[in-house]
Every structure is written in structure tokens, then in C-alpha cells.
């Protein structure tokens, strides 16, 4: 973890500008083509949801701005990102939050995610939720939405959030609505565009 000197940071003016806002967030919703991913998951017997969680974090990792966090008066840069995602036990309508580090391989991550989710009996794992490296992920498989408003703890909440909806067929392609939002003090639309390109 690295502490950023705000006076030498290239975003210092942008950071100050958006620090004056009560809700300093930006977000976009776009359609994501998941045809190839859906086919891969079917062929390899892995969870489509867990796979997209893995791909989301992998698409964020190369973009420096997704590594910044606000903690009090400090700006931090974390070295890696950890997915923290909602899930449901079979037959339950109450979600729980599964948090586990990334794996180099998609299939191994999906296997470990399934194991941890099945074994988890609490809403969340308190030992991991305070980690500065978290990325919040969720899915609304019941809806093909056009936008989502995520909850935020306040203007210093700097955890990137992503949520996607039900996939639908458009001709021979499968697409779904995908929403990503982040703290505007730390990144701009350019960075969300780079993320969407990495994810495609």
C-alpha cells in the first residue's frame, strides 16, 4: 500500500473540485456482450456469475485509478484488488456477501467461490470486509435494467462498484446490462471507458 502525496498527484485539482460535491460519484450503464463467456461457462461447467466477477476485477487491475482509495485525510494506492460479491443460498431470498482473493485462473476462482459461498452461514466475513482492496460486485438476474443506483456510505466511499442484470438474446448474441460506478475524485469517464474496453 502506498500513500499518495496530494500536492504532487496529477489529479490534485480534480480531487479538490469533486471534494466539494455532496455526491462525488460517476457511473455508466452499458450493454455487455457475454456470448463467448456464456458458451465457455457451459462447456467448462463453471458459474457464469462467478466468472464475470473474476473478469470484472481482472479488467480493473491494469487501470491505476481503480487502485486509489480515500481513508480520512489520506489517499492510498493499493497493490491489488479483491472481489466482494453478493450471493444466494439455494431457496433463500436473503443475500450474503462472499469475499475472497483473486486466483490466476478463472476456473479455480469459480471453484473456490462456490465452496466459500456454500460454507458461509453469516451475512459477511468480518475479517475481510475492512480490507482497502475490495471491489463490490452484484447481480440482478431478474431484471434487464437501464440503470442502477448503488448505496454509498458518504463522499469518502471510494470502493468501485459494479452490478449487472439478466442476459437476453439479441439475434445470435447474448447481452446484459452492466453498471459501473466509482468516486469521481479518483477517476473520470475516460477510466470507465478503458474498463469497459478491457471487459469486452
Amino acid at each position: 500500500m502506498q500513500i499518495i502525496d496530494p500536492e504532487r498527484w496529477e489529479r490534485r485539482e480534480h480531487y479538490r473540485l469533486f471534494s466539494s460535491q455532496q455526491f462525488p460519484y460517476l457511473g455508466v450503464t452499458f450493454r455487455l456482450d457475454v456470448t463467448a463467456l456464456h458458451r465457455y461457462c457451459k462447456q467448462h461447467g463453471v458459474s457464469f456469475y462467478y466468472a464475470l466477477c473474476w473478469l470484472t476485477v481482472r479488467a480493473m487491475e491494469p487501470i491505476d485509478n481503480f487502485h486509489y482509495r480515500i481513508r480520512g485525510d489520506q489517499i492510498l494506492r493499493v497493490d491489488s484488488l479483491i472481489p466482494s460479491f453478493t450471493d444466494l443460498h439455494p431457496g433463500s431470498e436473503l443475500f450474503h456477501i462472499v469475499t475472497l482473493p483473486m486466483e490466476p485462473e478463472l476456473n479455480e476462482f469459480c471453484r473456490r467461490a462456490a465452496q466459500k459461498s456454500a460454507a458461509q452461514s453469516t451475512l459477511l466475513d468480518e475479517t475481510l470486509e475492512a480490507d482497502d482492496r475490495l471491489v463490490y460486485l452484484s447481480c440482478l438476474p431478474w431484471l434487464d435494467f437501464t440503470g442502477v443506483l448503488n448505496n454509498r456510505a458518504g463522499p469518502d466511499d471510494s470502493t468501485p462498484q459494479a452490478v449487472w442484470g439478466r442476459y437476453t438474446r439479441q439475434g445470435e448474441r447474448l447481452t446484459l446490462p452492466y453498471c459501473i460506478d466509482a468516486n469521481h475524485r479518483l477517476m473520470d469517464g475516460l477510466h470507465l471507458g478503458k474498463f469497459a474496453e478491457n471487459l469486452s
Side-chain angles (χ1 to χ4, degrees), residues 11-29:
R11 285 194 65 82
R12 61 186 177 276
E13 291 184 279
H14 298 73
Y15 186 85
R16 290 175 189 145
L17 173 66
F18 292 111
S19 290
S20 66
Q21 305 297 308
Q22 189 173 13
F23 190 79
Y25 296 98
L26 79 162
V28 295
T29 300

Side-chain angles (χ1 to χ4, degrees), residues 5-133:
D5 181 352
E7 296 307 314
R8 297 185 178 184
W9 192 30
E10 62 179 3
R11 285 194 65 82
R12 61 186 177 276
E13 291 184 279
H14 298 73
Y15 186 85
R16 290 175 189 145
L17 173 66
F18 292 111
S19 290
S20 66
Q21 305 297 308
Q22 189 173 13
F23 190 79
Y25 296 98
L26 79 162
V28 295
T29 300
F30 58 94
R31 293 208 71 84
L32 179 66
D33 189 321
V34 292
T35 309
L37 175 61
H38 185 266
R39 184 183 307 118
Y40 177 92
C41 292
K42 289 290 186 185
Q43 291 174 348
H44 293 84
V46 297
S47 163
F48 176 86
Y49 176 50
Y50 299 153
L52 193 45
C53 287
W54 186 87
L55 287 169
T56 292
V57 176
R58 193 180 72 163
M60 291 177 180
E61 283 278 4
I63 303 169
D64 197 51
N65 298 71
F66 279 96
H67 291 257
Y68 294 133
R69 298 292 183 269
I70 301 167
R71 291 296 176 264
D73 294 331
Q74 290 185 323
I75 305 162
L76 309 177
R77 188 193 183 283
V78 296
D79 57 351
S80 61
L81 303 175
I82 297 176
S84 182
F85 53 91
T86 61
D87 207 358
L88 288 172
H89 291 303
S92 176
E93 293 187 356
L94 291 174
F95 70 87
H96 57 283
I97 299 170
V98 181
T99 303
L100 74 161
M102 286 286 281
E103 292 285 343
E105 299 296 330
L106 182 151
N107 289 16
E108 178 61 15
F109 175 82
C110 291
R111 185 189 68 80
R112 290 193 59 232
Q115 285 182 341
K116 182 161 188 185
S117 180
Q120 189 166 314
S121 59
T122 56
L123 171 60
L124 47 81
D125 183 346
E126 296 281 358
T127 61
L128 293 172
E129 284 305 305
D131 199 301
D132 288 317
R133 297 173 294 170

Side-chain angles (χ1 to χ4, degrees), residues 168-195:
T168 58
R169 188 170 295 280
Q170 297 182 336
E172 296 184 356
R173 313 303 295 177
L174 291 177
T175 67
L176 54 74
Y178 190 103
C179 177
I180 173 77
D181 72 79
N183 198 306
H184 212 340
R185 295 156 81 182
L186 305 178
M187 69 179 77
D188 305 313
L190 170 70
H191 306 105
L192 298 187
K194 287 182 177 181
F195 164 77

